[in-house]
Amino acid sequence: MKNRLIGFVSALAIAVGGSLAAAAPAQAATPAVMITKVYYNSPGSDTGSNTSLNAEYVQLTNKRSTSINLKYWTLRDKSNHIYKFTTNWYLKAGASVVIHTGKGTNTSSSLYWGSGAYIWNNSGDAAYLRNSAGTGIDSCSWGSSGSYTNC
């Protein structure tokens, strides 16, 4: 009886161990805030006008069911141009905000970098989103074709 019990326990241990080893790898969690679109090549000629600059933008989307305060979060490119949320700025659950390159009046759905020059390179670049601790939250990169990318 004792040998039979030891055999059963051994078989059970092997079966459980084998099923644990075969478990699927964990999926990476969806970032709380994602870069969902980058319009890096504004329509028409790159005239440098404020209208043209503002047609270049990055869209961020809150993927959580609660508002997220973006105070001290940053958005940057490969050349280290940095947009910083310097005050309390709450992105509502499921909402998106567009950060335009040029100048304008901030609203709940549109923010303005205030730059007099283009930020995002048409020939390829990347956008990086970091939280207030400087931890990378999301990124999006593109090559030299097209005008925008959905991330």
Side-chain angles (χ1 to χ4, degrees), residues 29-66:
T30 299
V33 178
M34 291 181 67
I35 300 168
T36 49
K37 185 173 188 176
V38 180
Y39 210 116
Y40 53 87
N41 186 3
S42 57
S45 299
D46 287 344
T47 62
S49 71
N50 196 53
T51 301
S52 180
L53 290 169
N54 282 333
E56 182 184 85
Y57 63 82
V58 174
Q59 179 178 335
L60 305 177
T61 303
N62 180 351
K63 296 295 187 173
R64 297 293 182 258
S65 58
T66 57

Side-chain angles (χ1 to χ4, degrees), residues 25-105:
Q27 294 295 318
T30 299
V33 178
M34 291 181 67
I35 300 168
T36 49
K37 185 173 188 176
V38 180
Y39 210 116
Y40 53 87
N41 186 3
S42 57
S45 299
D46 287 344
T47 62
S49 71
N50 196 53
T51 301
S52 180
L53 290 169
N54 282 333
E56 182 184 85
Y57 63 82
V58 174
Q59 179 178 335
L60 305 177
T61 303
N62 180 351
K63 296 295 187 173
R64 297 293 182 258
S65 58
T66 57
S67 291
I68 296 174
N69 187 358
L70 300 181
K71 184 177 184 178
Y72 302 134
W73 286 44
T74 60
L75 177 66
R76 63 185 70 213
D77 70 344
K78 282 185 177 180
S79 298
N80 215 30
H81 295 103
I82 302 171
Y83 177 87
K84 187 173 188 176
F85 292 84
T86 57
T87 61
N88 287 326
W89 203 90
Y90 292 90
L91 185 56
K92 293 181 180 178
S96 294
V97 63
V98 173
I99 301 168
H100 300 274
T101 296
K103 297 173 178 80
T105 301

